[in-house]
Amino acid sequence: MPQMKEGFKAGLAFTIPTLALGPSFGVLVEPVLGATAAILMSIFVFAGAAQFGSVTVLAAGGGVASAVSAGLLINGRFLPMGLAMAPALRGGPLRRAAEAQAMVDASWAIAQRGDGGFDREMMLGATIPQAACWWAGTAIGALGGSLIGDPRALGLDAMFPAFYLALLVYEMDLRVTGMSALLGAAIALCLVPIAPPGIPVVAASAAALLGLRQR
């Protein structure tokens, strides 16, 4: 599986920010749900932005329905991403659904072939080191949070925007995607002050439709 090995190597570039964000999440969620629930959430949900969003709602006194809704809205971006990845997946519905669980932002970007298609093995390989670091980081934060202190004091709250900016730079070709990127940024900036969490991201993804006109 040479492509899976290549994906694994490419995914290693994202292990440092992932391993830094994991403890930050563990520290945040442990007082709300407990250490065991924090670790299990990272294993079964495995969606950093959605996990942060839902736990933030709970920590602020919100209900379970609001927390789940926030997480679903933030993860709404995976609907168009999944539709794009679907032709590359193999097997029946259960196997395809299981493979789709490996689709995270960085792995999805790494798996793009440049012709509109995706490499399934690249995606799976890229996710392996990221998943291991996310799970380990969450456990470190949840079990040893008292030793870490406030993650904001270490600047870990700046990791998310830096992480997604790195993905954007990795993928952007101004000649092809520049207009879509600018339009998506404008939509998100306009909606962030007034829309619920997650909605700006989903709405901004509509800018990708410009790419259909260029194909």
Side-chain angles (χ1 to χ4, degrees):
M1 298 182 180
Q3 291 302 99
M4 187 172 290
K5 291 182 180 179
E6 288 300 312
F8 184 90
K9 292 178 182 178
L12 290 174
F14 296 94
T15 55
I16 293 177
T18 303
L19 190 57
L21 285 169
S24 180
F25 174 73
V27 170
L28 172 68
V29 73
E30 193 277 332
V32 181
L33 299 177
T36 301
I39 297 169
L40 291 176
M41 186 180 189
S42 282
I43 292 173
F44 290 106
V45 179
F46 188 41
Q51 289 178 234
F52 271 105
S54 59
V55 171
T56 299
V57 171
L58 292 174
V64 173
S66 298
V68 171
S69 297
L72 288 174
L73 286 171
I74 293 171
N75 269 357
R77 69 190 186 281
F78 286 115
L79 179 58
M81 290 166 64
L83 290 173
M85 176 64 72
L89 303 179
R90 297 179 183 175
L94 290 178
R95 176 177 173 179
R96 292 166 65 84
E99 290 185 354
Q101 300 308 304
M103 187 180 68
V104 295
D105 296 287
S107 300
W108 186 86
I110 289 170
Q112 293 192 55
R113 292 197 305 239
D115 60 356
F118 291 82
D119 190 303
R120 163 186 164 275
E121 290 188 1
M122 283 282 287
M123 179 193 72
L124 295 174
T127 297
I128 292 172
Q130 296 178 79
C133 287
W134 179 245
W135 299 337
T138 299
I140 291 170
L143 299 174
S146 59
L147 301 177
I148 297 174
D150 186 354
R152 291 173 295 182
L154 302 176
L156 297 182
D157 54 326
M159 278 286 189
F160 257 122
F163 176 78
Y164 286 107
L165 181 61
L167 289 181
L168 180 64
V169 171
Y170 179 84
E171 283 299 307
M172 183 176 287
D173 181 345
L174 292 177
R175 297 168 298 176
V176 179
T177 61
M179 185 59 67
S180 294
L182 290 173
L183 179 58
I187 292 172
L189 286 173
C190 291
L191 291 179
V192 163
I194 59 175
I199 289 293
V201 176
V202 176
S205 67
L209 296 174
L210 285 177
L212 296 177
R213 299 177 60 183
Q214 300 173 359
R215 288 178 62 83

